[in-house]
Amino acid sequence: MSVFNTSKLEISTFFLIGIPGMEHAHIWVSIPMCLMYLVAILGNCTILFFIKTETSLHEPMYYFLSMLAFSDLGLSISSLPTMLRIFLFNATGISSDACFAQEFFIHAFSAMESSVLFIMSVDRLIAIYNPLRYTSILTSDRVVKVGLVFATMSISVVLPFPFILKRLKFCKKSLLSHSYCLHQDVTKLACSDNRVNIIYGFFVALLTILYLVCISVSYMLILKIVMGIASHKGRLKVLNTCVSHICAVLIFYVPIITLAALHRFAKNVSPVIRVIIADIFLLVPPLMNPIVYSVKSQQIRNLILTKLCQKQHG
């Protein structure tokens, strides 16, 4: 009877990986990683603080920026504990429940971020296509409602992930291929029928790509409007209002598409490259978005400089 129970023994702990072959240098890798997390959390908290407290920033564009900062903050906090445990203490084990919870939050905040990037592209399109009616179309109430609808939709789409993972059996493999838990990564380790997980995971991935397609369509329409502007200076001025958002889209989507392409078409590529790109996906957008928007948004830049000057004089 005991032999029968042993053969059916299920894995309750998964093992994450740092950078394969560089385990001896993990402590050194943790230093820039800690700094990146610190800057990302401080940067996004600063953006949220200024948008909440400064009435001059109570505009649709900045409300959407606060949603982006909230998503970035969620992404950072969701992945921070396990990644720092690996690189600081070489503690790679994570319980199955903690792993399922982490992958839910990472996927939920990623879905939220892609939806916010889509809303921001529509915001830019309305601002350029119909600038005179912009404030009447995007009122504060509408912005809040749109944000809540898309946030609820993002959470609802990802909500089944932990439950469909919970029904799987894991009895052979326990080593994951990233420094944090992802649905598709955990699904691969199952020793029971995982077709539902694969199909649903593909459906969620398609939604993310759909957002990217919609963003691309928005920018094609923006480009069409811009090409109709007679003066070269006018074109540049209009396009300049989109630079921050284009950077945010590229920062978010390039690592996702690269990682998906590597998993699909370059199966023999070094695991180190996969791990680094996967870590970039969670580290770089939350770090870079506040910097890009602070540099490009004159209002936010001026507020930050004013606060710093006040502290120096104080």
Side-chain angles (χ1 to χ4, degrees):
M1 190 70 180
S2 61
V3 175
F4 174 77
N5 285 341
T6 308
S7 67
K8 292 287 182 183
L9 191 68
E10 282 188 47
I11 290 163
S12 59
T13 303
F14 294 110
F15 293 93
L16 301 159
I17 60 168
I19 301 173
M22 286 183 66
E23 286 80 7
H24 60 284
H26 274 180
I27 193 72
W28 298 108
V29 175
S30 71
I31 296 166
M33 192 171 278
C34 284
L35 286 171
M36 286 171 83
Y37 268 121
L38 190 65
V39 173
I41 290 166
L42 281 174
N44 286 295
C45 284
T46 303
I47 295 272
L48 287 168
F49 172 75
F50 278 128
I51 292 169
K52 188 179 187 300
T53 56
E54 296 293 332
T55 50
S56 61
L57 299 181
H58 291 180
E59 296 173 14
M61 185 178 80
Y62 295 108
Y63 288 139
F64 293 134
L65 178 55
S66 68
M67 292 175 202
L68 189 69
F70 177 75
S71 304
D72 282 334
L73 206 54
L75 269 179
S76 293
I77 293 165
S78 301
S79 56
L80 179 68
T82 54
M83 288 179 82
L84 290 186
R85 273 176 61 228
I86 292 165
F87 289 100
L88 281 173
F89 309 110
N90 204 31
T92 58
I94 183 169
S95 71
S96 56
D97 287 340
C99 187
F100 300 161
Q102 186 188 47
E103 63 86 27
F104 164 72
F105 284 112
I106 288 173
H107 286 292
F109 284 115
S110 298
M112 219 177 280
E113 180 138 349
S114 52
S115 68
V116 172
L117 289 170
F118 163 62
I119 300 165
M120 288 173 94
S121 71
V122 175
D123 167 72
R124 291 298 82 212
L125 178 60
I126 294 167
I128 292 164
Y129 178 71
N130 205 338
L132 297 175
R133 290 194 60 215
Y134 174 71
T135 49
S136 62
I137 294 168
L138 284 172
T139 60
S140 296
D141 284 347
R142 277 183 189 159
V143 167
V144 171
K145 282 174 186 172
V146 166
L148 286 171
V149 165
F150 275 91
T152 306
M153 204 165 75
S154 301
I155 293 164
S156 302
V157 165
V158 176
L159 194 59
F161 273 171
F163 300 105
I164 58 175
L165 280 174
K166 193 86 176 161
R167 52 178 272 283
L168 296 177
K169 285 183 171 57
F170 302 92
C171 44
K172 290 176 186 173
K173 299 174 186 173
S174 60
L175 184 65
L176 295 163
S177 52
H178 298 303
S179 307
Y180 49 87
C181 295
L182 288 178
H183 179 261
Q184 59 271 32
D185 202 18
V186 178
T187 299
K188 281 184 208 167
L189 301 183
C191 56
S192 58
D193 188 4
N194 61 5
R195 278 176 296 182
V196 171
N197 298 66
I198 291 167
I199 292 163
Y200 195 73
F202 182 68
F203 164 71
V204 174
L206 275 181
L207 277 180
T208 307
I209 298 301
L210 183 64
Y211 278 131
L212 181 59
V213 170
C214 292
I215 292 166
S216 304
V217 170
S218 296
Y219 272 100
M220 283 176 195
L221 294 169
I222 287 169
L223 208 58
K224 191 182 174 185
I225 296 161
V226 168
M227 296 313 286
I229 298 169
S231 71
H232 179 68
K233 195 176 178 181
R235 286 179 197 173
L236 287 176
K237 192 179 176 183
V238 171
L239 283 174
N240 194 44
T241 63
C242 302
V243 170
S244 303
H245 182 255
I246 292 166
C247 290
V249 170
L250 292 173
I251 288 164
F252 181 74
Y253 274 101
V254 167
I256 291 178
I257 292 166
T258 307
L259 195 62
L262 286 176
H263 276 290
R264 182 74 183 87
F265 304 110
K267 295 191 189 293
N268 296 326
V269 77
S270 166
V272 176
I273 294 169
R274 285 186 192 177
V275 168
I276 289 169
I277 292 168
D279 289 351
I280 284 169
F281 159 60
L282 283 194
L283 283 167
V284 174
L287 173 75
M288 290 305 297
N289 285 339
I291 295 168
V292 168
Y293 275 95
S294 298
V295 169
K296 287 301 296 174
S297 170
Q298 195 175 350
Q299 279 177 282
I300 291 175
R301 193 169 67 245
N302 290 345
L303 283 166
I304 292 168
L305 291 170
T306 304
K307 293 284 180 189
L308 287 171
C309 289
Q310 281 175 357
K311 281 187 180 178
Q312 281 179 352
H313 290 307

